[in-house]
C-alpha cells in the first residue's frame, strides 16, 4: 500500500470518527476477516461506502430489525439518510436484535451471518483461497483472487462483481442488457416500498423482442418503452440529444451480449444514477455539489400518454384533453361501458370491417408519433408501400419514414400527436368510413353548425349512442341552466362588507365530473359570490383615492377593508368589454375556477349596469416592479428569492397555458402584473382578462392589441398575432428584468455606441461572454449563488428569440430551469431591434397601449 493511499485512509477514518464515533472503517475485506454491522468498507477515493443498513421489523414487539448489506454514497447523501445503490440480500434480510456480520468464508464466498443464520451473497463453485473483497470508487464491490505475485488488479482474477447484479439503481459502468448465450439478464427492479428493498413490481430491461430499446414492465405488462435507439437518442427520449456532451450511451451487441453502456465523460465532476423507482418511473438523478442535494434530471414515463398501451388498441392519446383517449377515426370503443368509465385498456375496434380490396383507402394523419412495433418492408417508394399495405388484408396502416416502408399488421398502440419530429401515418379504412370522415370534415369547415353534423354522422352508424348522447347533453344543459339560475338568485347582490371569505370560499369538492384534478393544479367547483355595488362602495370608501393601490391594465385597483378586518383588492374594470352581462358572469365564474398557488385568487365580483368589478385576494407586498426597480426595496429580493419568483411565475404561466381547462394566454405579462404575497411568493394577476373582454381564442389574430410595449413579442405588436409563444416572449423580458433589476424600456449604451433596450444590451454582453456583469449589483457576487445566473440569462434569451417557433414552451422553460446539467440550445439573435427608441411612457405607466384598427384579413368567426 502506498503512503498516499494510507494517508487517505487515515483521513477518511478520522472523518468517520468525527461523524459517527462508534463506526469503524475497513479498507479491504480479506478471507476470514469479519466485519460487524457498525463497521463499513469505504472505497479508496471515499466516494462509496459498504455496510449494513436496517429497517424496523414492522409488527414485531421486540426491537428486532431487518438487516441488509448495501452500498451507498459516502458523501453525496442527504444529511442523515443514505442513498442506497445496491443491496446484497434484498429478499433475505437478517432479522436480529443485535449485530450481524460480513465475511469471506473458506470457499471464497462472501456471506453474511448472525448466530445460526448464514446467507451467501456470492456463489463461487470451486473452493478458492486467498481472496479479498474491495469496494471501488465506481461503486462496484468486487471479489478477487490474489495472485502469487501479489498483484490484484488483473481482470482475470476477478471472481465476482456487484455490477453484474444490479438492484434498483444503475451507475455508469453497470450494464443493462442480456447475454444471448446464457440467457442471463441485467435489469433493474424497483424496491417494494421505501423500507422494503425486496423486488417490487417494476423493472427496467432491454426489450428481448425488439432491438436496442428499453422496456419498463409493471409486473409482466409493458408500462413504457424508450423507442428504438438511433445512435444518439431513443425515439421517445429526444431530450437525450442535449446531454451528449456529458454522457455517452452506447449499445453493444457482439454476438454473445446485448447491452447499453453509459459513461460519464468527466467522471470526476458528476455523480449520476438511474433508479427504477417504486412509482414505476425510471428516474435519473445528479448530485449538485453547490446545494448538496440530488436533483432529478429526468424521468419516464412523464405523462400518461407515454404509458405503454394506455389508451388500448387503435386509440389516440392527447395529453391536452380530458379524457386523454379517443378512438381513431372509423373505430369505436370495444366496450362502451368500460371506455366511458375510464377503463381504456379494452381499446377500440373497427366500426365497419375492411373490404380487403380496392374499396379500402387511407386516411392521412399528419405529424404523428408512430404506433409501436411496425414491420419494416424493403420497399423504396411511397406508392409501393401503400399498395403493399392495401394488398394485405391484415395491414392496418403504413408510414413512409426515412426511406423505409413501415406497416402495421396488428392493432395500433400508442398513437399520438408528436411533440417532436412527427411523421405522417396512413390509416387504412373502408371507403364508407372515409366518406363519412370527409363529409363531416367538409361540413365542419364550411358551416358552423357542426354539432348537428356530428350527431347525424354518428346517427348513421350508432343510433342508440347518439340518442343517449343527445339526451345526456340536454339533461346536462338543463341542469346547468337550473344551477346557474339558482346561483343567481342565491348570490345576487351579497353584502361585501359582512362577507366572510375565510369560511365561504373553501373549495367544495363534489364527486361530479365537474371537479377535475389536472396534473399540477386543481380546478375546484367554486361558487363565485356576486356583490352589490353599494357594498363595494362602502368597502372602498367610495373609491377614494387614498384607497387606490394601483392602476392595472384594465382599470384602477383599490384596497377594500371588510367589517371583519379582512383586506381585499378591488379592480374596477373600465367599461370597454363588449360582452353581454350573462356572458360576462359565466366567464368570470369560469376564471374563478382557475386556482393555482401562483395565480391571484378571484374571490368575487360585482356586475351592475356599467360597473364591472372584480374582487381579488389582497397581496401585502404589492407588485414586483415596485420592488425590483426601486433602489430602496431591491434588497428585499436577493438571488434566491428572485429565483423563487421566476420559478413561480413560470409555473403559473404553465398552468394557464397547459393545464387549465380554459387555455389562457395572458397577453399582458409584466412586472407590474406579478404580485407578491406576504412571503414574497409571486402570483400572476390580470390573467383571463383577455377572455373577460371577449376574446377567448387561443391562437389567432386580433384587431385589438392589449399589452405593453417592451413586453410584446414582435409578431403580436406588429401583426396582432398572438399565441402561447407571445407570453413566452414576455416571460423572457420579465426574466431579464428580474435578473438585472433594470426595466426593459431603459436605454443602454451598447458596444457599438448606438443605444438599445435591455434585450439588446443583454445580447451584446452575452455574445461577448460578459453576461455575469448584467446581474443586479445589489445581489452581490454571483459566484456565491446556489444556481448559476448564466442559465437564467440563456433561458431568457431563448424566450425572446424572434421566431415564435424557436422559443421554448413554458414546460420546456421549466425543464431547462430545473435541471442542473441540461445542455441548453444556443439562443438566436433576439427580436430586440424592434424595441429601439421606444416611447418610455407607454411602458412605465403600465397603461395598456392600444393600436387601433390594425387591419387583418380574417374570416368571420
Ligand atoms: C464492531 O467491531 C468494532 C471493532 O472490533 C467494535 O469496536 C464494535 O463494538 C463492534 N460493534 C458491534 C455492534 O459488535
Ligand atoms: C406480521 O405481519 C405479517 C404479515 O404482514 C403476518 O403474517 C404476521 O403474522 C405478523 N406477525 C405478528 C407477530 O403480528
Ligand atoms: C430519512 O428517510 C426516512 C424514511 O425514508 C424519512 O422519513 C426521513 O424524513 C429521511 N430523513 C431525511 C433527513 O431526509
Ligand atoms: C434479543 O432477543 C433474544 C431472543 O431472540 C433475547 O434473548 C435477548 O435478550 C434479546 N436481546 C436484546 C438486547 O434485546
Ligand atoms: C496469497 O497471496 C499472497 C500475496 O498477497 C501470496 O504471497 C501467496 O502466495 C498467495 N497464496 C496462495 C495460496 O496463492
Ligand atoms: C462481448 O462483450 C463482452 C463484454 O464486453 C465480452 O465479455 C465478450 O467476450 C464479448 N463477446 C464477443 C464474442 O466478442
Ligand atoms: C401497474 O399495474 C397495476 C395493476 O396491475 C395498476 O394498478 C398500476 O396503476 C400500474 N402502475 C402504473 C405506474 O401504471
Ligand atoms: C378494464 O377492461 C378490461 C377489458 O375491457 C377488463 O379485462 C378489465 O378487468 C377492466 N379493468 C377494470 C379495473 O375494470
Ligand atoms: C408537429 O407538432 C409539433 C407539436 O405539436 C409542432 O411543434 C410541429 O411544428 C408540428 N410539425 C408539423 C410539420 O406540423
Amino acid at each position: 500500500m502506498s503512503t498516499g493511499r494510507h494517508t487517505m485512509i487515515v483521513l477518511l477514518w478520522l472523518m468517520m470518527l468525527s461523524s459517527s464515533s462508534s463506526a469503524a472503517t475497513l479498507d479491504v475485506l480479506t478471507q476470514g476477516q469479519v466485519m460487524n454491522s457498525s463497521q463499513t468498507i469505504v472505497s479508496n477515493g471515499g466516494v462509496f461506502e459498504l455496510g449494513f443498513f436496517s429497517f424496523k421489523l414492522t409488527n414485531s414487539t421486540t426491537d428486532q430489525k431487518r438487516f441488509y448489506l448495501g452500498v451507498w454514497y459516502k458523501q453525496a447523501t442527504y444529511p442523515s439518510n443514505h442513498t442506497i445503490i445496491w443491496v446484497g440480500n434484498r429478499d433475505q434480510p437478517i432479522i436480529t436484535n443485535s449485530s450481524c456480520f460480513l465475511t469471506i468464508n473458506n470457499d471464497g464466498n462472501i456471506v453474511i451471518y448472525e448466530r445460526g443464520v448464514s446467507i451467501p451473497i456470492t456463489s463461487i463453485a470451486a473452493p478458492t483461497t486467498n481472496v479479498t473483497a474491495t469496494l471501488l470508487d465506481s461503486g462496484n464491490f468486487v471479489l478477487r483472487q490474489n495472485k502469487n505475485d501479489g498483484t490484484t488488479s488483473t481482470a482475470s482474477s476477478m471472481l465476482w462483481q456487484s455490477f453484474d447484479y444490479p438492484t434498483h439503481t444503475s451507475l455508469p459502468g453497470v450494464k443493462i442488457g442480456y447475454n444471448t448465450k446464457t440467457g442471463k439478464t441485467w435489469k433493474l427492479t424497483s424496491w417494494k416500498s421505501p423500507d422494503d428493498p425486496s423486488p417490487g413490481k417494476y423493472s427496467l430491461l432491454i426489450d428481448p423482442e425488439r432491438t436496442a430499446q428499453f422496456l419498463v414492465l409493471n409486473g409482466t405488462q409493458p408500462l413504457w418503452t424508450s423507442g428504438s435507439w438511433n445512435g444518439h437518442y431513443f425515439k421517445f427520449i429526444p431530450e437525450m440529444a442535449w446531454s451528449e456532451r456529458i454522457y455517452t450511451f452506447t449499445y453493444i451487441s457482439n454476438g454473445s451480449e446485448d447491452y447499453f453502456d453509459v459513461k460519464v465523460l468527466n467522471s470526476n465532476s458528476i455523480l449520476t444514477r438511474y433508479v427504477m423507482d417504486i412509482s414505476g418511473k425510471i428516474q435519473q438523478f445528479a448530485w449538485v455539489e453547490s446545494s448538496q442535494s440530488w436533483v432529478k434530471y429526468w424521468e419516464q414515463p412523464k405523462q400518461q400518454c407515454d404509458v405503454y398501451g394506455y389508451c388500448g388498441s387503435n386509440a389516440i392519446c392527447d395529453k391536452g384533453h380530458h379524457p386523454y383517449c379517443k378512438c381513431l377515426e372509423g373505430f369505436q370503443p370495444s366496450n362502451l361501458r368500460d371506455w366511458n368509465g375510464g377503463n381504456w385498456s379494452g381499446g377500440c375496434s373497427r366500426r365497419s370491417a375492411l373490404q380487403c380490396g380496392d374499396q379500402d383507402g387511407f386516411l392521412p394523419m399528419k405529424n404523428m408519433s408512430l404506433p409501436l412495433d411496425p414491420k419494416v418492408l424493403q420497399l423504396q417508394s411511397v406508392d409501393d408501400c401503400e399498395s403493399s399495405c392495401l394488398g394485405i388484408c391484415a395491414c392496418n396502416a403504413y408510414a413512409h419514414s426515412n426511406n423505409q416502408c413501415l406497416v402495421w399488421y396488428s392493432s395500433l398502440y400508442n398513437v399520438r400527436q408528436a411533440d417532436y419530429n412527427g411523421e405522417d401515418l396512413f390509416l387504412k379504412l373502408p371507403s364508407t368510413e372515409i366518406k363519412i370522415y370527409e363529409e363531416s370534415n367538409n361540413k365542419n369547415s364550411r358551416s358552423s353548425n357542426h354539432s348537428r353534423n356530428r350527431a347525424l354522422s354518428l346517427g348513421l352508424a350508432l343510433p342508440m349512442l347518439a340518442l343517449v348522447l343527445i339526451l345526456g347533453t340536454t339533461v346536462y344543459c338543463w341542469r346547468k341552466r337550473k344551477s346557474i339560475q339558482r346561483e343567481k338568485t342565491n348570490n345576487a347582490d351579497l353584502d361585501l362588507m359582512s362577507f366572510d371569505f375565510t369560511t365561504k370560499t373553501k373549495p367544495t369538492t363534489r364527486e361530479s365530473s365537474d371537479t377535475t384534478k389536472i396534473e399540477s393544479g386543481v380546478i375546484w367547483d367554486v361558487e363565485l359570490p356576486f356583490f352589490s355595488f353599494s357594498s363595494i362602495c362602502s368597502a372602498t370608501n367610495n373609491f377614494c383615492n387614498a384607497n387606490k393601490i394601483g392602476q392595472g391594465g384594465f382599470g384602477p385597483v383599490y384596497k377594500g377593508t371588510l367589517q371583519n378586518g379582512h383586506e381585499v383588492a378591488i379592480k374596477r374594470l373600465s367599461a370597454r368589454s363588449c360582452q353581454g352581462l350573462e356572458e360576462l358572469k359565466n366567464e368570470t365564474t369560469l376564471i374563478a375556477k382557475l386556482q393555482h398557488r401562483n395565480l391571484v385568487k378571484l374571490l368575487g365580483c360585482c356586475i351592475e349596469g356599467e360597473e364591472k368589478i372584480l374582487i381579488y385576494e389582497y397581496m401585502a407586498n404589492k407588485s414586483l416592479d415596485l420592488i425590483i426597480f426601486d433602489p430602496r426595496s431591491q434588497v428585499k429580493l436577493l438571488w434566491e428569492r428572485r429565483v423563487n419568483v421566476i420559478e413561480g411565475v413560470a409555473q403559473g404561466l404553465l398552468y394557464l397555458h397547459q393545464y387549465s381547462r380554459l387555455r389562457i394566454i395572458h397577453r399582458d405579462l409584466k412586472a407590474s402584473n406579478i404580485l407578491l404575497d406576504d412571503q414574497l411568493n409571486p402570483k400572476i394577476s390580470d390573467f383571463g382578462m383577455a377572455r373577460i373582454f371577449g376574446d377567448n381564442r387561443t391562437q389567432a389574430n386580433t384587431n385589438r392589441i392589449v399589452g405593453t410595449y417592451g413586453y410584446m413579442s414582435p409578431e403580436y405588436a406588429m401583426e396582432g398575432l398572438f399565441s402561447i409563444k407571445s407570453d413566452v416572449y414576455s416571460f423572457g423580458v420579465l426574466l431579464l428584468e428580474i435578473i438585472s433589476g433594470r426595466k426593459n424600456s431603459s436605454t443602454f449604451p451598447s458596444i457599438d455606441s448606438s443605444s438599445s433596450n435591455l434585450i439588446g444590451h443583454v445580447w451584446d454582453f452575452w455574445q461577448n461572454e460578459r453576461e455575469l456583469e448584467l446581474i443586479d449589483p445589489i445581489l452581490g457576487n454571483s459566484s456565491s449563488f446556489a444556481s448559476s445566473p448564466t442559465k437564467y440569462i440563456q433561458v431568457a434569451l431563448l424566450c425572446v428569440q424572434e421566431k415564435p417557433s424557436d422559443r421554448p414552451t413554458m414546460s420546456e422553460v421549466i425543464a431547462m430551469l430545473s435541471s442542473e446539467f441540461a445542455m441548453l440550445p444556443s439562443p438566436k439573435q433576439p427580436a430586440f431591434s424592434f424595441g429601439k427608441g421606444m416611447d418610455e411612457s407607454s411602458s412605465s405607466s403600465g397603461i395598456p397601449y392600444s393600436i387601433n384598427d390594425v387591419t387583418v384579413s380574417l374570416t368571420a368567426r
Side-chain angles (χ1 to χ4, degrees):
M1 192 187 296
S2 75
T3 32
R5 183 164 164 204
H6 203 88
T7 324
M8 176 59 116
I9 287 173
V10 170
L11 261 176
L12 280 169
W13 209 78
L14 286 175
M15 278 168 49
M16 282 300 297
L17 279 183
S18 62
S19 64
S20 139
S21 54
S22 68
T25 314
L26 300 175
D27 170 18
V28 177
L29 191 70
T30 55
Q31 204 158 12
Q33 193 179 3
V34 174
M35 187 188 98
N36 69 24
S37 53
S38 49
Q39 292 173 304
T40 58
I41 298 177
V42 171
S43 67
N44 194 354
V47 185
F48 288 97
E49 185 168 31
L50 174 136
F52 287 99
F53 63 96
S54 62
F55 293 111
K56 283 227 162 58
L57 198 58
T58 33
N59 57 2
S60 142
T61 48
T62 64
D63 47 2
Q64 286 186 318
K65 287 184 188 160
R66 292 170 287 141
F67 281 88
Y68 297 92
L69 180 70
V71 173
W72 54 81
Y73 289 92
K74 172 105 180 77
Q75 279 148 47
T77 195
Y78 286 118
S80 61
N81 281 6
H82 295 314
T83 303
I84 289 158
I85 54 123
W86 181 77
V87 186
N89 54 326
R90 51 189 313 194
D91 42 14
Q92 284 180 287
I94 287 192
I95 297 169
T96 174
N97 60 1
S98 55
S99 182
C100 57
F101 307 92
L102 169 73
T103 191
I104 301 173
N105 69 12
N106 290 337
D107 306 340
N109 276 306
I110 300 175
V111 293
I112 54 178
Y113 66 95
E114 181 267 339
R115 287 189 213 122
V117 188
S118 162
I119 294 168
I121 302 293
T122 61
S123 50
I124 294 155
T128 321
T129 54
N130 226 0
V131 294
T132 57
T134 329
L135 181 63
L136 306 182
D137 273 333
S138 59
N140 199 2
F141 185 44
V142 296
L143 185 68
R144 292 179 175 130
Q145 179 163 38
N146 291 355
K147 284 290 153 64
N148 286 342
D149 60 6
T151 57
T152 56
S153 58
T154 56
S156 62
S157 70
M158 189 162 72
L159 302 169
W160 177 92
Q161 58 174 340
S162 65
F163 271 16
D164 280 342
Y165 302 87
T167 54
H168 70 314
T169 299
S170 171
L171 302 174
V174 173
K175 293 176 190 173
I176 303 292
Y178 52 86
N179 185 317
T180 47
K181 300 249 161 69
T182 64
K184 169 152 183 52
T185 59
W186 299 283
K187 61 177 182 182
L188 305 184
T189 311
S190 66
W191 285 24
K192 226 176 213 148
S193 70
D195 63 357
D196 186 356
S198 58
K201 290 200 285 196
Y202 303 102
S203 46
L204 172 86
L205 60 160
I206 296 280
D207 194 336
E209 312 275 299
R210 311 183 185 91
T211 46
Q213 54 186 295
F214 283 118
L215 179 64
V216 171
L217 293 180
N218 178 359
T220 54
Q221 293 299 312
L223 178 68
W224 173 78
T225 100
S226 64
S228 51
W229 174 246
N230 71 4
H232 298 282
Y233 58 85
F234 294 96
K235 182 147 181 263
F236 300 135
I237 322 178
E239 66 268 29
M240 270 183 75
W242 288 356
S243 40
E244 265 192 337
R245 276 186 271 165
I246 303 176
Y247 310 103
T248 58
F249 240 78
T250 10
Y251 183 64
I252 293 163
S253 175
N254 67 3
S256 63
E257 293 185 351
D258 279 24
Y259 63 92
F260 277 104
D261 190 34
V262 194
K263 284 197 173 62
V264 176
L265 292 184
N266 187 351
S267 59
N268 292 330
S269 61
I270 293 169
L271 293 178
T272 185
R273 63 194 162 96
Y274 294 82
V275 179
M276 185 68 247
D277 187 64
I278 53 173
S279 62
K281 291 184 171 178
I282 177 81
Q283 304 177 324
Q284 183 188 6
F285 293 89
W287 176 252
V288 180
E289 199 59 49
S290 55
S291 64
Q292 290 288 299
S293 62
W294 288 100
V295 168
K296 197 196 296 162
Y297 181 68
W298 71 247
E299 67 180 8
Q300 286 286 353
K302 269 193 290 222
Q303 38 150 316
Q304 288 298 325
C305 291
D306 294 332
V307 168
Y308 188 100
Y310 181 70
C311 290
S313 54
N314 306 315
I316 183 163
C317 193
D318 183 349
K319 64 181 175 187
H321 284 99
H322 268 269
Y324 294 126
C325 301
K326 179 172 98 187
C327 287
L328 292 174
E329 212 56 61
F331 287 75
Q332 65 192 23
S334 304
N335 180 332
L336 193 58
R337 239 181 86 196
D338 279 354
W339 184 270
N340 289 341
N343 174 4
W344 297 302
S345 59
C348 305
S349 38
R350 288 190 182 276
R351 221 158 24 198
S352 32
L354 289 173
Q355 312 282 303
C356 293
D358 289 345
Q359 300 95 318
D360 295 333
F362 290 95
L363 181 71
M365 299 173 72
K366 298 266 181 220
N367 201 9
M368 306 303 287
S369 168
L370 295 180
L372 299 174
D373 298 336
K375 293 244 168 342
V376 181
L377 301 183
Q378 299 308 322
L379 295 171
Q380 295 302 315
S381 84
V382 185
D383 289 347
D384 287 351
C385 192
E386 174 170 326
S387 48
S388 155
C389 185
L390 204 56
I392 296 173
C393 193
C395 182
N396 283 316
Y398 79 90
H400 199 260
S401 156
N402 295 332
N403 274 330
Q404 279 184 322
C405 173
L406 308 177
V407 291
W408 286 264
Y409 290 156
S410 51
S411 297
L412 309 176
Y413 284 93
N414 286 53
V415 182
R416 59 191 152 125
Q417 211 76 41
D419 293 328
Y420 185 89
N421 282 353
E423 289 164 304
D424 294 347
L425 177 70
F426 296 86
L427 178 68
K428 189 152 91 176
L429 289 177
S431 53
T432 48
E433 290 290 351
I434 291 188
K435 224 171 272 157
I436 292 175
Y437 172 80
E438 280 171 354
E439 274 170 15
S440 71
N441 230 31
N442 282 343
K443 282 184 192 153
N444 276 355
S445 54
R446 264 191 271 121
S447 83
S448 60
N449 199 352
H450 133 215
S451 53
R452 209 183 59 201
N453 290 324
R454 253 289 151 77
L456 268 177
S457 66
L458 268 175
L460 283 177
L462 281 173
M464 276 317 288
L465 172 67
L467 192 62
V468 168
L469 271 179
I470 291 168
L471 268 178
T473 336
T474 323
V475 170
Y476 178 76
C477 290
W478 180 72
R479 284 217 174 138
K480 189 86 189 170
R481 180 154 303 174
K482 269 250 144 138
S483 81
I484 287 174
Q485 272 165 3
R486 218 177 27 242
E487 207 166 278
K488 251 192 286 173
T489 49
N490 283 351
N491 277 341
D493 304 343
L494 293 172
D495 181 15
L496 176 63
M497 289 299 288
S498 57
F499 200 80
D500 186 358
F501 285 107
T502 50
T503 63
K504 298 208 175 131
T505 56
K506 289 248 173 65
T508 50
T509 2
R510 290 197 209 149
E511 60 286 303
S512 80
S513 59
D514 255 22
T515 311
T516 335
K517 189 173 185 303
I518 301 180
E519 293 176 55
S520 65
V522 179
I523 292 180
W524 302 100
D525 202 4
V526 282
E527 293 203 341
L528 187 71
F530 285 78
F531 296 104
S532 69
F533 183 63
S534 57
S535 70
I536 290 179
C537 286
S538 37
T540 54
N541 220 342
N542 282 323
F543 299 102
C544 83
N545 259 344
N547 277 11
K548 188 164 161 180
I549 49 179
Q551 171 71 46
F554 297 87
V557 185
Y558 299 85
K559 179 167 155 182
T561 312
L562 312 188
Q563 267 161 16
N564 63 3
H566 197 108
E567 288 169 330
V568 293
I570 292 173
K571 169 166 264 176
R572 195 176 191 183
L573 298 183
S574 50
R576 265 197 328 215
S577 156
C578 50
Q579 282 192 327
L581 208 64
E582 262 327 287
E583 227 180 330
L584 183 63
K585 281 192 178 179
N586 289 344
E587 195 64 22
T588 323
T589 311
L590 270 179
I591 303 283
K593 289 185 181 178
L594 297 183
Q595 303 230 347
H596 186 276
R597 62 174 185 283
N598 298 114
L599 300 182
V600 174
K601 208 180 283 166
L602 180 60
L603 299 175
C605 74
C606 161
I607 302 174
E608 232 178 85
E610 286 291 285
E611 290 295 345
K612 291 155 191 130
I613 291 167
L614 302 177
I615 294 131
Y616 291 102
E617 58 181 328
Y618 179 72
M619 291 286 133
N621 275 305
K622 308 228 168 67
S623 58
L624 182 62
D625 58 329
L626 299 180
I627 296 187
I628 52 171
F629 302 139
D630 180 351
R632 285 160 305 168
S633 317
Q634 276 171 337
V635 287
K636 274 195 186 169
L637 280 180
L638 291 180
W639 179 250
E640 298 311 322
R641 288 221 179 264
R642 290 192 195 198
V643 166
N644 182 47
V645 168
I646 292 167
E647 284 168 357
V649 173
Q651 292 288 353
L653 208 49
L654 173 70
Y655 175 75
L656 290 178
H657 286 177
Q658 212 156 320
Y659 295 131
S660 77
R661 267 193 298 205
L662 303 179
R663 300 195 159 232
I664 283 178
I665 300 173
H666 189 294
R667 297 215 266 159
D668 196 14
L669 188 74
K670 56 182 170 183
S672 57
N673 274 338
I674 307 301
L675 306 185
L676 299 168
D677 69 9
D678 48 355
Q679 309 281 316
L680 293 166
N681 291 313
K683 294 186 186 229
I684 301 175
S685 75
D686 271 7
F687 60 90
M689 282 298 170
R691 282 184 66 106
I692 286 183
F693 277 85
D695 205 342
N696 56 12
R697 288 155 300 161
T698 49
Q699 181 169 19
N701 285 41
T702 177
N703 50 13
R704 193 176 51 76
I705 292 181
V706 185
T708 306
Y709 263 146
Y711 290 96
M712 275 194 268
S713 62
E715 76 277 7
Y716 180 37
M718 299 199 285
E719 297 164 56
L721 271 175
F722 65 90
S723 69
I724 52 173
K725 295 297 184 68
S726 17
D727 276 356
V728 170
Y729 182 93
S730 311
F731 177 77
V733 175
L734 182 66
L735 200 53
L736 293 178
E737 290 184 332
I738 295 175
I739 295 169
S740 64
R742 307 289 295 271
K743 284 185 187 163
N744 182 45
S745 53
S746 339
T747 36
F748 298 85
S750 79
I751 287 172
D752 66 3
S753 85
S754 65
S755 72
S756 71
N757 63 2
L758 178 60
I759 299 179
H761 182 65
V762 172
W763 178 247
D764 271 352
F765 276 68
W766 172 262
Q767 285 188 303
N768 291 293
E769 296 183 15
R770 288 167 56 192
E771 69 277 356
L772 290 179
E773 297 168 34
L774 299 162
I775 293 156
D776 192 344
I778 198 100
L779 298 175
N781 184 351
S782 67
S783 60
S784 66
F785 299 170
S787 47
S788 160
T790 302
K791 179 174 73 182
Y792 292 84
I793 294 172
Q794 188 167 358
V795 169
L797 285 173
L798 288 169
C799 292
V800 296
Q801 292 176 106
E802 177 126 31
K803 275 167 73 186
S805 58
D806 288 338
R807 295 175 209 147
T809 61
M810 284 317 293
S811 56
E812 285 164 336
V813 166
I814 288 169
M816 291 179 198
L817 292 180
S818 60
S819 72
E820 195 75 9
F821 303 106
M823 284 294 161
L824 304 182
S826 297
K828 296 183 188 158
Q829 170 148 2
F832 63 84
S833 53
F834 161 73
K836 276 187 185 176
M838 155 195 68
D839 177 7
E840 166 92 12
S841 65
S842 65
S843 165
S844 54
S845 68
I847 294 166
Y849 193 98
S850 310
I851 302 175
N852 297 319
D853 306 315
V854 173
T855 340
V856 284
S857 51
L858 184 73
T859 48
R861 34 171 176 163

